[in-house]
Amino acid sequence: MLRLFDHAAQADIEARYGLPLMKTALDPALILPATLGQVTEEEWLESVVVALGGGERARQAVTEFAQVRFWVDEEVRALLAKAQQHVPVVIVTNATDSLEQHLDLLGLTYFADDVVSSARVGVAKPDRRIYEIAAERAGVAPERCLFVDDRLQNVEAARALGMTGVHYRSFQDLAAVLG
């Protein structure tokens, strides 16, 4: 919700190459090792090439897919910065080992009070341990945390730990609790 990807560009690449890039790249068997820090982003992308049959066509499609533009939702950033004046903001994300580079490119390196990256802590949402790590880094009990995510499964896992959870579908969902 803070970092957005150009899904139209991803769909265009899939259509041009006639390859199921999203389904393959996000296949848990391929993406999970990368989000747990067991393999690098480069190794994950290579596994996608192999899963798509290998060859130059698959490699070019994956290369283009990996270079799809991403940006910051400035409305979300502004609202989180406003909340940060009163409470710590901790980003909790399932990411690869390139997250720090992405945050730097987006000007977010020093934005949050802390970042809990699945690739760095070895657990991914919806594993309860990642939420416990986030609460610890925020310096509060889970019951004092607000967790916002665009995946309902992740929100439900946070709620099971005692956090207040908000399922993010639009900016208004976040504004309703922080605005």
Side-chain angles (χ1 to χ4, degrees):
M1 61 181 209
L2 182 60
R3 180 176 52 156
L4 303 174
F5 291 86
D6 189 341
H7 296 296
Q10 290 170 328
D12 177 64
I13 296 165
E14 278 193 333
R16 281 190 289 111
Y17 286 92
L19 294 170
L21 282 164
M22 291 297 293
K23 180 180 178 184
T24 306
L26 299 179
D27 178 339
L30 299 182
I31 190 70
L32 194 57
T35 59
L36 294 177
Q38 297 166 347
V39 300
T40 65
E41 180 174 290
E42 187 175 296
E43 291 168 322
W44 163 61
L45 291 172
E46 183 59 30
S47 74
V48 175
V49 170
V50 170
L52 291 171
E56 192 52 38
R57 184 171 180 77
R59 185 166 308 287
Q60 185 60 38
V62 171
T63 297
E64 285 184 38
F65 175 79
Q67 295 171 349
V68 166
R69 181 176 83 90
F70 55 91
W71 65 93
V72 173
D73 184 320
E74 292 299 338
E75 265 189 320
V76 170
R77 182 201 312 234
L79 192 53
L80 291 175
K82 182 179 170 187
Q84 196 174 26
Q85 295 172 9
H86 307 285
V87 296
V89 170
V90 176
I91 295 173
V92 181
T93 184
N94 288 354
T96 67
D97 66 339
S98 66
L99 177 67
E100 293 83 1
Q101 178 185 359
H102 288 188
L103 293 175
D104 191 47
L105 288 169
L106 295 170
L108 294 174
T109 299
Y110 302 104
F111 172 73
D113 294 288
D114 208 332
V115 176
V116 180
S117 168
S118 62
R120 300 296 179 215
V121 299
V123 291
K125 297 178 288 184
D127 187 309
R128 78 180 275 126
R129 292 174 292 167
I130 199 164
Y131 307 103
E132 292 168 342
I133 292 166
E136 181 181 310
R137 291 194 184 174
V140 297
E143 297 78 17
R144 304 236 338 134
C145 293
L146 170 67
F147 178 79
V148 182
D149 200 282
D150 59 352
R151 292 181 176 254
L152 184 57
Q153 176 185 17
N154 296 338
V155 173
E156 289 172 345
R159 287 178 181 155
L161 188 60
M163 293 180 171
T164 299
V166 173
H167 183 204
Y168 182 94
R169 293 161 301 224
S170 73
F171 176 76
Q172 294 310 318
D173 295 323
L174 185 61
V177 295
L178 293 180

